[in-house]
Amino acid sequence: MKPVSLIDPKAALRSDRSGWPRHLLSCDGLSIEAVEQLFVAAREMRLVGRRRVKKLPTLRGRTIINVFFENSTRTRVSFELAGKRMGADVINFSASGSSASKGETLGDTARTLDAMNPDLIVVRHGAGGAPWFLAERLSCSVVNAGDGINEHPTQALLDAFTLSEHIGDLNGKRVVIVGDIAHSRVARSNIHLLNTLGAEVICVAPRTMIPAGFTDALPATWHPCLDDLIETADAVMMLRIQRERMKQSLFPQDREYSIRFGMNPERAARLPEHAIIMHPGPINRGVEIDPAVADGRRAVILDQVENGVALRMAIGFLLLGGSGE
Ligand code: ASP
């Protein structure tokens, strides 16, 4: 695949986007070629984000609506910045300020938004499957920004991009995902994508945080002990405990959890020299990750954030292309 310079908008308009689907709903089924194409574009977009003038005309005249029915800091700001840096008109709305809080159904909200002729709708919703529901009913492209505990494809793509920037080709690499797998859409999307890219994924969690049938349904294995794997991991991805999705506590207390499953300086020191520590955020310091590790030399958490904007710019470009002028 030939790399394209997206700094030059004319080159951006000419480049090949044929491998890209119309919507980005899941990491399951994304082709290696589509992912590589995205990473080439994201690398260029990151350079744009580091310039003094951080704007391309590529999506000028296009309209993006960010529809967030669940809380978000990083993802929402990242999508908004990405759209604006690509030159699109970006509108944000959240459930608390929308007619969803007046009882409007998702179907009616969808039809209303569609009537405004957007080019792309980015949706986060508490119900798994909501982005598919919208994609079937809207005439524009849809990007899943997190649906319940199901998937968070742009997070996994920015994670894989960050991983490949730090540890190179992911084929044959071992990625250990630690924590609340049961409620993590980040874990699910990462498992699909990392498997496509040839990495081995091992999930480490208390048994109560691994759903029944998990390893039959997804290409990953489960291991109950982080210490067994720490010396062979190329990367460790720490997850937040998603208390907002739990009906009951799945472990006795935070201290106990953090002793067995937390990333502390002693464990970080036992990782291979090249290994990195990731976290999708928001982090709970002192629970899944010690503050000294979160701010330490192996943590790439802020790289993930920077790469997230670049990656979402690249997604906007690949889904929508240029203005056609
Ligand atoms: N920000 C990620 C998500 O929306 C992870 C988290 O909330 O812990 O799923």
Side-chain angles (χ1 to χ4, degrees):
M1 187 200 337
K2 61 177 186 327
V4 294
S5 173
L6 304 181
I7 308 294
D8 168 8
K10 291 211 180 79
L13 295 185
R14 281 194 305 269
S15 73
D16 176 26
R17 297 184 295 273
S18 51
W20 260 76
R22 180 157 164 252
H23 307 291
L24 175 57
L25 305 176
S26 167
C27 283
D28 190 10
L30 268 187
S31 70
I32 296 187
E33 293 70 35
V35 175
E36 280 173 355
Q37 209 175 356
L38 181 68
F39 288 3
V40 169
R43 236 166 257 129
E44 300 286 348
M45 298 304 178
R46 195 171 49 188
L47 295 177
V48 175
R50 290 175 183 171
R51 299 194 314 206
R52 200 169 73 84
V53 178
K54 305 171 177 53
K55 206 157 179 115
L56 293 175
T58 314
L59 297 185
R60 194 172 51 201
R62 315 302 293 274
T63 304
I64 299 177
I65 310 185
N66 293 328
V67 186
F68 277 66
F69 292 95
E70 267 195 348
N71 294 342
S72 173
T73 305
R74 265 152 296 272
T75 307
R76 207 170 93 139
V77 173
S78 185
F79 269 112
E80 183 174 357
L81 262 184
K84 288 184 171 161
R85 285 184 182 171
M86 294 298 280
D89 296 316
V90 183
I91 307 295
N92 297 301
F93 85 66
S94 50
S96 58
S98 76
S99 293
S101 56
K102 297 183 188 170
E104 185 174 68
T105 64
L106 186 57
D108 282 331
T109 303
R111 273 184 284 276
T112 304
L113 294 175
D114 207 29
M116 298 178 196
N117 300 319
D119 297 287
L120 172 65
I121 287 194
V122 176
V123 62
R124 168 169 288 191
H125 200 281
W132 280 261
F133 179 88
L134 292 185
E136 276 168 17
R137 286 160 179 79
L138 300 180
S139 30
C140 66
S141 292
V142 175
V143 170
N144 180 1
D147 62 319
I149 62 166
N150 185 38
E151 281 225 41
H152 193 348
T154 62
Q155 177 71 45
L157 285 161
L158 76 88
D159 289 341
F161 180 61
T162 306
L163 271 164
S164 64
E165 293 283 288
H166 282 273
I167 63 172
D169 188 354
L170 299 187
N171 194 23
K173 298 281 165 47
R174 174 176 277 189
V175 180
V176 178
I177 306 182
V178 189
D180 187 2
I181 308 287
H183 300 105
S184 179
R185 53 195 176 199
V186 174
R188 272 173 194 72
S189 286
N190 263 293
I191 291 169
H192 286 304
L193 183 61
L194 291 171
N195 179 58
T196 301
L197 300 178
E200 177 197 18
V201 182
I202 308 182
C203 296
V204 172
R207 190 179 291 277
T208 50
M209 286 182 171
I210 287 281
F214 179 83
T215 49
D216 299 331
L218 291 168
T221 52
W222 169 66
H223 194 82
C225 178
L226 179 55
D227 285 315
D228 288 351
L229 299 169
I230 206 86
E231 270 130 23
T232 57
D234 295 296
V236 184
M237 197 177 285
M238 306 305 296
L239 300 175
R240 181 177 67 88
I241 296 164
Q242 309 228 342
R243 294 181 211 272
E244 73 276 22
R245 302 192 196 280
M246 288 179 191
K247 293 192 185 69
Q248 62 196 32
S249 184
L250 298 181
F251 54 90
Q253 44 186 337
D254 283 3
R255 202 178 122 68
E256 150 109 11
Y257 177 86
S258 121
I259 289 171
R260 289 195 52 206
F261 297 99
M263 182 54 74
N264 55 35
E266 296 71 39
R267 286 197 175 110
R270 287 174 48 215
L271 284 164
E273 190 44 37
H274 66 274
I276 57 170
I277 297 171
M278 310 177 76
H279 196 306
I283 61 176
N284 283 166
R285 288 175 182 262
V287 183
E288 73 274 6
I289 190 162
D290 186 283
V293 177
D295 303 327
R297 70 176 179 91
R298 286 181 190 281
V300 297
I301 301 169
L302 297 179
D303 290 6
Q304 290 172 265
V305 176
E306 183 190 24
N307 290 339
V309 180
L311 202 284
R312 289 172 177 122
M313 289 170 76
I315 287 170
F317 164 66
L318 286 164
L319 290 180
L320 301 186
S323 62
E325 283 166 13

